[in-house]
């Protein structure tokens, strides 16, 4: 960064930056260009706002955040920063340069300075250190280390606790207890300051001595011991087994849901009783069943049908998903999971209430970036690394120290568990397929296809009415077994059992006994066992002796000849009338439609109620249309293109700022954030500013204003040596004079 000796503020420093520096700034802080500011002045003003600064600090990793805190504590001096971080000066200088590129530090005539809004956002206790003894009007002992050694073991333990978790602590109400005596001893020794009767605070100088001159307990670049490693072949085998198991479980879950058709709770989600029934039928615990349901919902295979009495129903995507090979079926589940805003790992409600499966309680937007960051941590480690949960939490805290979620240990444990169940990780290490998933779904499908065994098209039929499939079945065989058998056990080879109930499912779908036996024989490595042949034919013989169906409406009359004429009527063919008795016809259409069609054909039917009493035509109910909220992906524009527009806007602003006849500048329109930042800058530098003020009737006047302070949406200052207060929302623009 070039030297700018005449720069007086962060905003002015940004306006004087080169194109390369501005491109780097826009890439580090993309929020500065959303929405795009009109010129560099507006960009600089936006970068000086508290909201943008807080966002920039939230995205700093631990080394950069600690370096910034060190700059606030000791000034922008690389030697002092290096000592506080426990690193060398070269590393400290690199961190300081990065902070300058992000406009969190700025160049002044006396060197780099910390931006004022950074100090505001970090608060009064950067890195957990308290105020200086001078600001507390407190006199420290002449020899602080010696004073610490003299207070005793218990007081020293309390002092260390306050130093690392303070700087303020509550004074024990019982001053005669061990902790109470220790705190009073620290106060008497001058190592802590009693701010009131209930609290004590630790001066910054004492805190640094207790911390041995460091802001962190370990050097800033110390990432702890390396995690254990596994052979990548073992990891891939475990991940592949989990992925194939997941696809089989989801397949079985879809069948169970279709059988049950569970209802949707009035508050949304799945009832606890239905969840437990589903979990028991697929031999899983409730947490695992909930995760499977979330995956199915995210993949678009399950939906609330929004009926009058809503139920959870399978979608039309199910058959298309089942027709895919196992690798693409897995990607169809894993890819939506990676981008989902829902997660069973979301923090539990603060009130301790239960969150129902498939409910909106699992929607937690922070989980999407958090999930990717956890996977990115695993991907950054050496291949085969299998860190424990606490190690992942520590690495996550290094990446995003200001954005740690509540109950982070439980959340990370849940995300790691989801990865294991999906097969993204195996034996707690990121597998080859998991790394490929982060790069794209096509690559992940190809990678998994190379690891998953080829689907089998053979089964072994046994005399005990079971069928053994040695592997994942091809889609046609899987569909056959779903219709005619019940899955009894999973594993390397699936065991399916034929029962009367399972065979009735095949017959209900329109198959005959010969069709079913022929299909089984086509896939069987042996002949059809005689017990299975007898069972199929016996169930088929008894199937359909009684029949049940549905009709939308009926038509009855006393004259069978009249009804037969209606059956043959050309204009009534769309009603699909069918005779079930000499005096009764049925139709799939509703009663109102049937009556209207008959009247158009010249008949005079009457509408009956369910009790056989003539009634009026009911009014059709109306329901609101279902509208899905559109999802808009906003891609940031390349920084060089944004910068070119800013330069054009800056040139236009320079032309507008040309002096008019009365000697005052043209005041450009600015947003409130830019107005506030420019007035703060002028007040800090003691400079007047030309401002545009809108009065109560909408007229705008120009005044030369001397700002003193900006606070609470108002600016305080003087106009013509008279005190004046303006609301920021009435100020249309600002031009600093000088």
């Amino acid at each position: 960064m070039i030297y700018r000796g005449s720069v007086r503020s962060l905003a002015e420093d940004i306006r004087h930056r080169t194109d390369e520096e501005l491109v780097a700034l826009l890439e580090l802080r993309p929020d500065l260009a959303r929405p795009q500011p009109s010129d560099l002045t507006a960009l600089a003003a936006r970068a000086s706002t508290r909201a943008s600064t807080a966002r920039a600090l939230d995205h700093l990793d631990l080394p950069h955040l600690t370096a910034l805190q060190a700059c606030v504590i000791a000034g922008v001096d690389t030697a002092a920063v290096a000592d506080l971080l426990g690193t060398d000066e070269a590393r400290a200088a690199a961190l300081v340069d990065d902070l300058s590129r992000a406009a969190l530090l700025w160049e002044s005539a006396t060197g780099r300075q910390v931006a004022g809004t950074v100090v505001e956002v970090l608060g009064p206790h950067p890195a957990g250190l308290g105020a200086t003894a001078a600001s507390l009007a407190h006199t420290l002992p002449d020899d602080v280390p010696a004073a610490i050694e003299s207070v005793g073991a218990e007081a020293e333990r309390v002092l260390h606790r306050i130093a690392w978790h303070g700087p303020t602590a509550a004074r024990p109400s019982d001053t005669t207890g061990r902790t109470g005596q220790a705190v009073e001893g620290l106060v008497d020794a001058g190592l802590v300051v009693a701010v009131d009767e209930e609290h004590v605070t630790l001066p910054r100088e004492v805190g640094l001595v207790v911390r041995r001159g460091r802001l962190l307990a370990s050097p800033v670049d110390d990432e702890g011991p390396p995690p254990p490693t596994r052979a990548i072949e073992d990891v891939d085998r475990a991940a592949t087994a989990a992925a194939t198991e997941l696809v089989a479980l989801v397949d079985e879950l879809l069948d169970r849901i279709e059988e049950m058709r569970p209802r949707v709770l009035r508050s949304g989600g799945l009832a606890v009783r239905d969840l437990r029934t589903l979990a028991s039928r697929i031999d899983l615990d409730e947490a695992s069943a909930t995760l499977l349901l979330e995956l199915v919902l995210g993949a678009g295979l399950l939906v609330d049908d929004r009926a009058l009495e809503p139920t959870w129903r399978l979608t039309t995507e199910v058959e298309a998903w089942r027709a895919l090979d196992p690798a693409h079926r897995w990607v169809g589940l894993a890819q939506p999971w990676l981008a989902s805003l829902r997660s069973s790992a979301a923090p539990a409600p603060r009130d301790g209430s239960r969150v129902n499966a498939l409910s909106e309680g699992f929607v937690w937007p922070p989980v999407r970036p958090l999930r990717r960051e956890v996977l990115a941590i695993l991907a950054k480690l050496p291949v085969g690394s299998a860190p424990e949960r606490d190690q992942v939490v520590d690495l996550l805290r290094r990446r995003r120290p200001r954005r740690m979620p509540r109950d982070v240990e439980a959340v990370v444990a849940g995300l790691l568990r989801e990865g294991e169940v999906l097969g993204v990780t195996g034996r707690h290490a990121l597998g080859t397929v998991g790394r490929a998933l982060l790069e794209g779904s096509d690559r992940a499908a190809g990678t998994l296809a190379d690891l998953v065994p080829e689907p089998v098209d053979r089964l072994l039929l046994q005399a005990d009415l079971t069928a053994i499939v040695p592997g994942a079945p091809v889609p046609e065989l899987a569909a056959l077994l779903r219709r005619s058998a019940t899955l009894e056990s999973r594993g390397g080879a699936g065991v399916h059992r034929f029962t009367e109930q399972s065979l009735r499912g095949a017959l209900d779908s329109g198959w005959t006994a010969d069709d079913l036996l022929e299909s089984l024989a086509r896939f069987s490595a042996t002949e059809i066992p005689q017990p299975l042949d007898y069972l199929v034919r016996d169930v088929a013989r008894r199937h359909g002796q009684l029949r049940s169906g549905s009709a939308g409406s009926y038509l009855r009359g006393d004259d069978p000849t009249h009804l037969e004429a209606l059956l043959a009527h050309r204009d009534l063919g769309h009603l699909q009338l069918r005779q079930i008795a000499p005096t009764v016809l049925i139709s799939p259409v509703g009663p109102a439609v049937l009556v209207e069609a008959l009247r158009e054909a010249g008949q005079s039917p009457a509408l009956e109620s369910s009790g056989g009493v003539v009634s009026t035509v009911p009014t059709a109910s109306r329901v609101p249309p279902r509208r899905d909220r559109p999802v808009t992906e906003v891609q940031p524009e390349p920084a060089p293109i944004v910068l070119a527009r800013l330069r054009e806007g800056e040139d236009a602003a320079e032309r507008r700022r040309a002096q008019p006849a009365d000697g005052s500048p043209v005041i450009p329109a600015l947003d409130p954030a830019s107005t506030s930042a420019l007035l703060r800058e002028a007040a800090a530098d003691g400079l007047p500013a030309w401002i545009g003020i809108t009065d109560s009737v909408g007229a705008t006047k120009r005044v030369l204003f001397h700002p003193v302070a900006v606070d609470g949406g108002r600016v305080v200052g003087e106009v013509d040596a008279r005190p004046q207060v303006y609301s920021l929302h009435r100020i249309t623009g600002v031009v600093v004079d000088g």
Side-chain angles (χ1 to χ4, degrees):
M1 183 176 293
I2 62 174
Y3 175 74
R4 293 179 279 271
S6 61
V7 169
R8 297 186 302 268
S9 66
L10 170 63
E12 192 171 351
D13 171 80
I14 292 176
R15 290 195 295 269
H16 284 80
R17 294 196 177 198
T18 64
D19 286 357
E20 291 77 10
E21 292 171 337
L22 289 172
V23 167
L25 174 61
L26 291 172
E27 290 176 348
L28 289 171
R29 297 173 63 176
D31 66 289
L32 296 179
R34 296 181 183 175
Q36 182 174 313
S38 58
D39 52 32
L40 290 179
T41 299
L43 173 73
R46 185 176 298 173
S48 305
T49 61
R50 184 184 181 95
S52 179
T53 303
R55 192 175 294 111
L57 264 62
D58 287 345
H59 286 81
L60 292 179
D61 59 13
L62 185 61
H64 287 90
L65 179 62
T66 309
L68 186 60
Q69 293 169 333
C71 291
V72 173
I73 293 169
V76 189
D77 177 27
T78 54
V81 171
D83 291 339
L84 290 172
L85 268 60
T87 186
D88 55 71
E89 288 195 37
R91 173 61 171 156
L95 293 172
V96 169
D97 288 341
D98 291 342
L99 295 173
S100 296
R101 276 189 287 271
L104 300 173
L105 306 177
W106 60 279
E107 296 282 351
S108 71
T110 58
R112 285 172 173 163
Q113 303 290 330
V114 180
T117 47
V118 168
V119 179
E120 294 179 14
V121 172
L122 288 178
H125 306 304
L129 291 174
T132 62
S135 63
L136 293 171
H138 176 70
T139 302
L140 292 171
D142 295 334
D143 189 347
V144 173
I148 294 175
E149 292 179 359
S150 66
V151 295
E154 179 63 22
E156 190 171 353
R157 183 189 67 80
V158 172
L159 189 64
H160 277 78
R161 178 73 179 178
I162 299 175
W164 288 108
H165 302 280
T168 302
R171 300 178 72 171
S173 57
D174 182 12
T175 57
T176 61
R178 188 173 62 176
T179 304
Q181 290 179 349
V183 172
E184 295 304 317
L186 292 173
V187 173
D188 295 340
L191 295 175
V192 298
V193 181
V195 293
D196 54 40
E197 295 182 356
E198 298 180 353
H199 299 89
V200 295
T201 188
L202 186 68
R204 180 174 299 178
E205 296 84 352
V206 178
L208 285 173
V209 172
V210 174
R211 294 187 182 190
R212 301 182 184 274
R214 302 282 179 83
L215 298 186
L216 300 175
S218 58
V220 71
D221 291 319
D222 183 12
E223 297 185 358
T229 58
R230 317 267 192 244
I232 190 60
E233 295 78 12
D234 294 342
V235 172
D236 285 343
R237 276 195 292 269
T240 303
T244 54
E245 177 78 357
L246 173 73
V247 172
L249 284 171
V250 168
D251 212 354
E252 184 179 357
L253 177 71
L254 295 175
D255 285 340
R256 301 304 183 189
I257 294 176
E258 193 167 31
E259 293 172 4
M260 290 177 55
R261 289 192 179 180
R263 64 188 180 91
V264 179
L265 294 177
R266 183 172 301 177
S267 58
L270 185 70
V272 175
R273 181 178 61 184
D274 291 335
L275 174 63
R276 290 173 178 167
T277 302
L278 274 174
S280 64
R281 289 188 179 182
I282 56 179
D283 195 21
L284 291 176
D285 56 77
E286 291 183 30
S288 299
T290 300
L291 175 56
L292 290 186
L293 288 168
E294 288 296 319
L295 294 175
V296 168
L297 182 68
L301 306 178
L302 182 67
V303 71
D304 172 2
D305 64 2
R306 305 286 182 93
L308 187 61
E309 296 183 0
T311 58
W312 292 105
R313 302 287 295 275
L314 303 188
T315 69
T316 55
E317 297 293 325
V318 170
E319 297 307 321
W321 178 80
R322 280 174 165 166
L324 298 173
D325 61 86
H328 282 88
R329 269 187 280 174
W330 179 83
V331 168
L333 299 170
Q335 194 67 37
W337 166 80
L338 189 62
S340 176
L341 297 179
R342 302 177 60 92
S343 177
S344 57
R350 294 183 183 273
D351 59 2
S353 59
R354 181 188 179 105
V355 179
N356 291 94
L358 301 176
S359 70
E360 292 300 307
F362 284 127
V363 177
W364 188 49
V367 77
R368 179 160 57 186
L370 183 62
R371 185 187 292 120
R372 280 194 171 273
E373 289 210 40
V374 169
L375 294 179
I377 287 172
L378 299 179
K380 189 177 179 181
L381 295 172
V383 175
S385 296
E388 298 295 331
R389 181 205 64 183
D390 293 341
Q391 289 178 297
V392 176
V393 171
D394 290 340
L395 292 172
L396 184 65
R397 187 171 282 111
R398 291 186 59 82
R399 289 176 66 98
R400 44 187 291 172
R402 286 175 57 90
R403 292 183 294 137
M404 297 297 288
R406 177 171 58 89
D407 299 335
V408 60
E409 289 82 7
V411 170
V412 170
L415 292 176
L416 293 176
R417 175 178 170 273
E418 288 183 357
E420 284 286 306
V421 172
L422 264 85
V424 175
T425 59
R427 301 186 65 190
H428 307 292
L430 189 65
T432 306
V433 176
R435 292 178 186 274
L437 181 66
L438 294 175
E439 299 175 6
S441 57
D442 292 338
R443 180 165 184 178
T447 304
L448 183 60
D450 295 336
L451 297 173
V452 173
E454 288 293 327
V456 298
D457 59 355
R458 281 286 180 266
L459 53 76
L460 178 62
L461 296 173
Q462 302 188 109
D464 61 351
L465 302 179
T466 61
I468 299 176
V469 183
V474 296
E476 187 180 357
L477 177 56
L480 172 63
L481 292 173
R482 275 197 306 272
R483 292 178 177 177
S484 60
T486 302
L487 180 64
E488 198 167 73
S489 67
R490 294 180 298 270
V495 178
H496 303 258
R497 178 169 296 279
F498 297 97
T499 63
E500 289 191 18
Q501 183 177 357
S502 66
L503 291 173
R504 278 198 297 269
L507 298 172
D508 287 340
S509 62
W511 289 31
T512 65
D514 292 335
D515 293 336
L516 181 56
L517 292 172
E518 181 182 351
S519 298
L520 290 173
R522 188 168 70 253
F523 290 107
S524 177
T526 60
E527 293 185 358
I528 302 292
Q530 191 178 59
L532 178 59
D533 184 276
Y534 285 173
L535 178 64
V536 171
R537 296 190 182 281
D538 181 61
V539 173
R541 178 179 55 80
R542 293 183 282 111
H543 184 266
Q545 291 181 349
L546 296 176
R547 299 195 176 191
S548 172
S550 62
S553 58
Y554 67 87
L555 183 66
R556 66 184 182 91
D558 297 332
D559 186 359
T561 305
H562 187 192
L563 294 182
E564 291 176 0
L566 292 178
L567 277 174
H569 200 295
R570 180 182 300 177
D571 295 335
L572 300 179
H574 64 286
L575 297 177
Q576 302 180 32
L577 295 170
R578 185 160 60 91
Q579 191 169 25
I580 60 173
T583 58
V584 180
L585 303 180
I586 61 172
S587 171
V589 303
V593 176
L594 178 61
V595 168
E596 183 179 356
L598 290 171
R599 287 176 178 173
E600 289 179 355
Q603 305 297 318
S604 301
L607 185 66
E608 281 186 348
S609 66
S610 59
V613 179
V614 176
S615 63
T616 59
V617 178
T619 303
S621 61
R622 298 181 180 180
V623 295
R626 182 173 181 177
R627 294 187 179 94
D628 294 328
R629 181 178 298 177
V631 178
T632 303
E633 293 288 342
V634 179
Q635 297 296 333
E637 286 189 287
I641 295 177
V642 175
L643 178 59
R645 293 184 186 145
L646 290 175
R647 289 294 189 195
E648 293 176 2
E650 187 69 13
D651 293 340
E654 289 291 341
R655 291 191 296 270
R656 288 195 304 267
R657 283 192 287 263
Q659 293 288 333
D662 61 356
S664 62
V666 175
I667 302 176
L670 295 176
D671 58 86
S674 301
T675 297
S676 174
L678 288 175
L679 289 173
R680 287 178 186 273
E681 180 183 347
D685 295 337
L687 297 174
W690 287 95
I691 62 175
I693 295 294
T694 303
D695 58 21
S696 58
V697 296
T700 301
K701 63 179 181 179
R702 301 147 50 84
V703 297
L704 184 61
F705 182 63
H706 294 261
V708 176
V710 180
D711 185 34
R714 301 186 304 170
V715 56
V716 181
E718 295 181 351
V719 176
D720 296 331
R722 297 177 183 175
Q724 186 67 54
V725 179
Y726 291 119
S727 297
L728 286 176
H729 72 273
R730 291 189 178 275
I731 300 177
T732 61
V734 178
V735 174
V736 179
D737 191 7

